[in-house]
Amino acid sequence: MLFPDYRPRRLRQNENFRRMIRETRLSVDDLILPLFSVEGKRIRNPIPSMPGHYQLSVDNIVKEARAARDLGIPAVMVFGIPDKKDAMATSAHAKDGIVQKTVRALKDKVKDLVVITDVCLCEYTDHGHCGVVQDRVIDNDATLELLAKTALSHAQAGADMVAPSDMMDGRVAEIRDALDENGFESTPIMSYAAKYCSAFYYPFRQAAESAPKFGDRRTYQMDPANSLEAIREVTMDVEEGADIIMVKPALPYLDIICRVREEIDLPVAAYNVSGEFAMIKAADKLGWLDGRQVMMESLIAIRRAGADMILTYFAKEAARELASR
Ligand code: PBG
């Protein structure tokens, strides 16, 4: 394959040739829209670092979910922001907790939409950590039962899939058992399997009011320097019963998505997180790059790396863009 016998430019001459040899596609089928649910009525609090995203009360989240569904987006991921927080995250598994109420409303009012729930404690604990704290240490095993209770309460409210994002060891097995023992053997688990301790979550923590009050998440989320460890984490979750495994964040971790795709035969999700979204929006606002083009390039890059589905705050914009082509 040497010049001048081979000329790669031959098949780049026009858009039809380019379409014919395109190796990766992005479809609306690949997109999952994250949503933030708060108590109250008619609430629509803009999230400053995430333009176009809001903390929404249940009435408004129903409208937003319908709009996503009407654009062809197959699924949403629900995050809850409760009124009350305490040391044991009691509101995370309350029957009338914010996620539980939201899920019931969505399942009741929006047809043909998969409702996934984020299972974690950080939005519900007064200290902001993803697990139970004893003497300023996050207690893994004491957290498992609460996570399982939370996941079960989401399933009981009607969640189509639960997604643990806490990064405690052993939580997928614990959640799988709790679901199975209570008749939810058909409810799949999307595990945040390789979740890094990332500064790219900053806007999300504003949105979800979930920043830790002391210390950081380095004792449970992964070190950004590691990739073999991601394979161990993912393998563990597969063996514990995960149905979909996730890599998070996405753009700075395309190598991890690629490795996980090669090693694991389950569907792979990537979370294009809040900071990735905020950077593009900020640069677009400054006129420093074309946000729409960078969005589409980013999403196709995540697909090319091997993700089957992408959780992204761009879901609605990308769906509109895809529909217009
Ligand atoms: C909860 C959770 C976080 C995100 C998803 N689930 C934040 C964190 O770990 O602090 C981040 C999502 C994003 O940045 O878009 N544990």
Side-chain angles (χ1 to χ4, degrees):
M1 300 263 267
L2 271 182
F3 178 81
D5 297 330
Y6 181 58
R7 290 175 181 267
R9 289 187 54 198
R10 283 182 195 130
L11 291 178
R12 289 181 205 144
Q13 288 182 75
N14 60 54
E15 182 56 13
N16 275 353
F17 274 148
R18 292 191 292 269
R19 280 170 59 202
M20 289 163 70
I21 65 159
R22 192 156 290 147
E23 298 172 33
T24 312
R25 314 247 163 209
L26 177 69
S27 146
V28 68
D29 298 342
D30 309 328
L31 305 173
I32 301 172
L33 175 69
L35 295 171
F36 299 98
S37 185
V38 286
E39 298 282 357
K41 281 208 174 79
R42 290 184 295 279
I43 293 181
R44 195 175 165 82
N45 299 330
I47 302 162
S49 48
M50 299 172 69
H53 288 269
Y54 305 84
Q55 296 179 333
L56 299 168
S57 50
V58 173
D59 50 332
N60 280 329
I61 229 171
V62 165
K63 287 184 198 152
E64 187 67 6
R66 235 180 239 139
R69 191 267 327 267
D70 292 347
L71 284 165
I73 294 168
V76 294
M77 168 83 93
V78 177
F79 293 92
I81 303 142
D83 268 358
K84 290 194 197 75
K85 304 185 189 231
D86 61 29
M88 296 299 282
T90 314
S91 55
H93 51 81
K95 200 166 175 216
D96 62 346
I98 183 66
V99 168
Q100 292 79 356
K101 276 193 284 201
T102 306
V103 169
R104 279 194 292 271
L106 289 175
K107 291 318 295 177
D108 184 39
K109 300 203 164 85
V110 191
K111 300 291 162 240
D112 296 325
L113 180 73
V114 169
V115 177
I116 311 169
T117 57
D118 181 83
V119 176
C120 195
L121 304 187
C122 59
E123 295 98 334
Y124 306 89
T125 50
D126 49 16
H127 46 70
H129 279 288
C130 304
V132 175
V133 172
Q134 324 264 16
D135 301 326
R136 291 171 84 85
V137 171
I138 291 72
D139 185 334
N140 192 86
D141 297 12
T143 304
L144 297 180
E145 193 194 329
L146 292 182
L147 291 168
K149 252 173 124 167
T150 302
L152 178 59
S153 75
H154 292 177
Q156 284 164 337
D160 297 302
M161 177 149 66
V162 293
S165 69
D166 51 281
M167 285 301 276
M168 296 301 125
D169 298 334
R171 89 276 206 217
V172 173
E174 192 90 4
I175 291 171
R176 187 69 269 159
D177 281 351
L179 292 174
D180 291 354
E181 279 162 20
N182 289 278
F184 293 98
E185 59 286 322
S186 298
T187 304
I189 300 175
M190 172 192 272
S191 147
Y192 289 67
K195 176 175 175 179
Y196 286 87
C197 189
S198 172
F200 285 91
Y201 306 152
Y202 184 78
F204 173 95
R205 290 181 192 167
Q206 281 190 321
E209 299 171 13
S210 63
K213 296 271 162 21
F214 69 89
D216 52 45
R217 304 209 199 287
R218 279 184 290 183
T219 67
Y220 42 106
Q221 298 181 347
M222 285 179 57
D223 185 336
N226 294 352
S227 67
L228 284 171
E229 190 188 5
I231 303 306
R232 293 199 294 275
E233 278 283 0
V234 166
T235 309
M236 202 175 153
D237 285 7
V238 172
E239 281 165 13
E240 288 182 29
D243 298 279
I244 298 175
I245 47 169
M246 192 201 294
V247 175
K248 178 185 173 191
L251 288 176
Y253 297 86
L254 293 179
D255 58 321
I256 307 298
I257 297 173
C258 186
R259 270 189 97 149
V260 165
R261 169 71 297 160
E262 277 168 11
E263 307 245 358
I264 306 289
D265 58 6
L266 287 180
V268 174
Y271 202 137
N272 178 222
V273 302
S274 57
E276 301 173 50
F277 176 80
M279 288 197 303
I280 294 173
K281 286 291 177 190
D284 180 79
K285 198 171 164 191
L286 285 165
W288 288 0
L289 46 72
D290 180 327
R292 191 182 50 85
Q293 285 185 35
V294 175
M295 162 183 80
M296 295 310 280
E297 184 177 333
S298 301
L299 295 173
I300 202 73
I302 297 167
R303 290 272 299 125
R304 190 197 62 235
D308 299 296
M309 61 197 94
I310 309 172
L311 293 110
T312 178
Y313 304 97
F314 287 120
K316 282 170 62 196
E317 282 170 78
R320 272 189 224 105
E321 179 64 23
L322 289 166
S324 75
R325 286 185 178 181

